[in-house]
């Protein structure tokens, strides 16, 4: 971690649907909530004055909350005081932006950091005429989602046009991986105004737990994530059919007692039955955050096999627990998982399941290599992916942006 920090700044984080106070596990509560909460806390620890603006999504929420870490969270009245799916929030962004404009005219921030594309529209509206630079993190790009989901994409139809306009209007865009940089450039964002700072993980929480697993039991494979088709859990199940003496645990989705009503869980059960491995596949449902390090530490391999992934937090959580990873060569995986050093990268092609099974078997048959990959993974997380490292990188971007020439920020038209 850096021993010196940039001068104190007044930082406004805009996260329209992902509150840092949210309880994880809801349909729109996940990685972005964690990112905003951790970034805010670590920036505050460095002496920055941090305020997070997020939409009021409940009737009993106070206008402002001060967190134990000294971060102010402002609940913005924009739209109904109720939960609304994030893909339906665009209509409320003008109201959100007007609220920000009133607040920032009274107390001007030094830099605004917008999270997700809709937050970018509100942030750019809020800084109009103030000369305050806006830094944008998309967290997920509509171009990638549309490419992979096609007609199943529920994003507003104007998302791609607005995302591109935000990238041209904001002062700097923060990408989380090299693959995202190329997507942004293809959208028309100036490469010279893109910085790369990855997502992070808490290596004190995600750390090795317990000793070596019982060598007499079945080898354990673990897959973690939301129960959606693109996460590739069916690939892991089909590969298991060619990996004898191994079991697969799948963590994610609703709590175990509600899995019977989850369509993707039912589909995965059918895939397991069709491939003769139903007795070796266990769907765990939601696993509490405090249990995840135990679950990951007890696995021989963590499988992260999505069709696409903007960054992918699961591999670095596993690596922090000293567990090797087999991951598809997509998105942030290309940065985080070093093939042949911390794990193995495999093609996202679903026609390559025999090759996937071969990679898994080869690794399971080589305990010394697994141990070496595990040690290298933990070291890589400590060197690059702790929240301290992430916050240092983001703060440097803020400081350079504030020192730069007057902001190019303006309204998205």
């Amino acid at each position: 971690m850096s021993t010196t920090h940039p001068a104190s700044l007044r930082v406004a984080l805009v996260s329209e649907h992902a509150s840092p106070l949210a309880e994880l596990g809801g349909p729109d509560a996940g990685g972005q909530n964690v990112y905003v909460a951790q970034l805010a806390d670590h920036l505050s620890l460095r002496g920055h004055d941090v305020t997070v603006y997020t939409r009021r999504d409940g009737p009993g929420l106070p206008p402002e909350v001060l967190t134990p870490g000294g971060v102010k969270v402002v609940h913005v009245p924009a739209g109904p005081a109720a939960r609304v799916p994030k893909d339906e929030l665009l209509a409320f962004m003008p109201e959100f932006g007007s609220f920000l404009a009133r607040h920032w005219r009274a107390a001007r921030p030094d830099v605004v950091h917008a999270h997700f594309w809709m937050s970018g529209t509100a942030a750019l509206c809020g800084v109009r005429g103030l000369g305050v630079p806006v830094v944008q993190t998309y967290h997920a790009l509509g171009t990638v989602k549309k490419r992979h989901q096609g007609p199943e994409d529920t994003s507003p139809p104007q998302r791609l046009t607005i995302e591109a306009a935000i990238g041209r209007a904001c002062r700097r865009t923060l990408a989380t991986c090299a693959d995202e940089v190329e997507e942004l450039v293809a959208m028309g964002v100036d490469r010279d105004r893109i910085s790369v700072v990855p997502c992070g993980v808490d290596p004190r929480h995600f750390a090795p737990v317990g000793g070596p697993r019982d060598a007499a039991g079945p080898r354990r494979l673990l897959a973690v994530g939301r129960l959606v088709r693109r996460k590739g859990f069916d690939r892991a199940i089909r590969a298991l059919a060619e990996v004898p003496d191994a079991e697969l645990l799948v963590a994610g989705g609703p709590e175990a007692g509600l899995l019977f009503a989850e369509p993707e869980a039912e589909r995965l059960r059918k895939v397991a039955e069709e491939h003769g491995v139903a007795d070796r596949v266990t769907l765990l449902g939601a696993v509490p955050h405090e249990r995840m390090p135990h679950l990951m530490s007890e696995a021989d391999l963590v499988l992260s096999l999505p069709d696409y992934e903007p960054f992918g937090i699961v591999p670095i959580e596993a690596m922090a627990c000293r567990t090797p990873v087999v991951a598809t060569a997509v998105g942030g995986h290309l940065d985080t998982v070093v093939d042949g050093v911390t794990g193995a990268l495999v093609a996202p092609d679903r026609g390559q399941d025999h090759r996937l099974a071969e990679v898994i078997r080869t690794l399971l048959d080589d305990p010394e290599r697994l141990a070496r990959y595990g040690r290298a993974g933990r070291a890589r997380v400590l060197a690059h992916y702790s929240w301290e490292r992430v916050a240092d990188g983001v703060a440097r971007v803020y400081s350079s942006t504030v020192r730069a020439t007057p902001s190019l920020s303006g309204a998205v038209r």
Side-chain angles (χ1 to χ4, degrees):
M1 187 172 68
S2 300
T3 56
T4 60
H5 304 301
S8 176
L9 296 171
R10 292 182 300 278
V11 179
L13 304 181
V14 182
S15 181
E16 96 297 354
H17 75 272
S19 169
L21 306 177
E23 183 176 346
L24 300 185
D28 288 333
Q32 185 176 323
N33 303 74
V34 173
Y35 184 102
V36 172
Q38 290 282 356
L39 178 62
D41 282 347
H42 282 86
L43 290 172
S44 182
L45 279 173
R46 283 153 177 72
H48 300 293
D49 181 358
V50 183
T51 302
V52 180
Y53 296 86
T54 192
R55 199 184 73 84
R56 182 187 60 182
D57 61 0
L61 294 175
E64 296 182 0
V65 174
L66 188 66
T67 73
V71 174
K72 183 191 293 184
V73 179
V74 176
H75 291 119
V76 177
R83 296 195 180 278
V84 176
K86 66 175 182 287
D87 285 334
E88 299 175 16
L89 290 175
L90 184 60
F92 309 126
M93 290 304 101
E95 186 180 358
F96 199 121
S98 296
F99 178 94
L100 296 178
R102 292 193 298 273
H103 260 233
W104 294 344
R105 279 197 298 268
R108 180 185 182 278
D110 294 311
V111 64
V112 173
H113 187 175
H115 297 269
F116 200 59
W117 67 280
M118 281 190 249
S119 294
T121 68
L124 287 163
C125 175
V127 302
R128 188 184 296 129
L130 297 179
V132 177
V134 173
V135 175
Q136 174 71 36
T137 296
Y138 288 98
H139 292 281
L141 288 171
T143 53
V144 178
K145 190 176 181 184
K146 177 65 72 177
R147 183 185 311 140
H148 288 277
Q149 294 192 5
E152 296 180 7
D153 181 9
T154 57
S155 301
Q158 59 270 60
R159 176 175 178 174
L160 272 61
T161 300
I162 295 176
E163 280 188 335
I166 291 169
R168 293 190 296 270
C170 68
R171 183 66 185 89
R172 182 153 290 272
T173 297
L174 267 181
T176 57
C177 64
D179 187 65
E180 186 182 357
V181 172
E182 301 310 314
E183 292 285 347
L184 290 165
V185 171
M187 286 166 48
V189 179
D190 185 350
R191 189 184 294 271
D192 291 338
R193 291 200 288 139
I194 303 172
S195 299
V196 179
V197 180
C199 297
V201 68
D202 181 356
R204 290 172 294 275
H205 178 73
F206 285 94
V209 179
R213 291 192 64 247
D214 182 5
R219 310 309 297 271
R220 179 169 294 175
L221 309 176
L222 173 67
V224 180
R226 290 186 298 123
L227 287 186
V228 292
R229 186 182 291 261
R230 76 171 182 87
K231 291 294 184 179
F233 297 132
D234 54 339
R235 287 196 70 190
I237 292 171
R238 287 194 294 270
L240 185 68
E242 300 181 38
V243 184
D245 303 321
E247 62 179 353
L248 171 66
L249 307 185
V250 178
E255 59 185 74
L258 299 176
L259 281 174
F260 70 91
E262 176 62 48
E264 181 65 5
E266 183 60 26
R267 187 180 77 88
L268 294 176
R269 288 193 192 97
K270 289 180 179 177
V271 173
E273 290 171 1
E274 289 168 2
H275 287 78
V277 294
D279 60 332
R280 294 194 282 138
V281 175
T282 304
L283 303 184
L284 300 173
V287 173
H289 183 66
E290 60 271 17
R291 275 288 305 158
M292 285 307 304
H294 296 264
L295 197 61
M296 288 182 164
S297 297
E298 291 167 356
D300 293 289
L301 278 175
V302 166
L303 309 182
S304 184
L305 305 171
D307 298 329
Y308 73 96
E309 193 66 77
F311 179 78
I313 204 70
V314 169
I316 60 174
E317 290 176 345
M319 287 157 57
C321 295
R322 210 178 288 152
T323 302
V325 178
V326 175
T328 42
V330 296
H333 293 176
L334 294 165
D335 289 3
T336 57
V337 180
V338 183
D339 190 45
V341 177
T342 69
L345 291 173
V346 296
D349 181 0
R350 287 174 175 265
Q352 295 287 320
D353 290 338
H354 291 294
R355 171 61 182 154
L356 170 61
E358 181 183 348
V359 169
I360 294 170
R361 286 197 308 271
T362 300
L363 289 174
L364 292 180
D365 288 343
D366 193 343
E368 290 185 6
R369 185 192 299 188
L370 287 179
R372 186 170 69 250
Y373 284 5
R375 291 191 297 270
R378 173 77 180 173
R380 182 164 176 77
V381 167
L382 294 175
H384 299 286
Y385 299 109
S386 70
W387 283 114
E388 288 82 2
R389 296 281 187 182
V390 172
D392 283 348
V394 172
R396 283 193 293 270
V397 170
Y398 291 168
S399 295
S400 64
T401 302
V402 169
R403 289 195 306 267
T405 53
S407 169
L408 299 176
S409 300
V412 177
R413 294 177 172 82

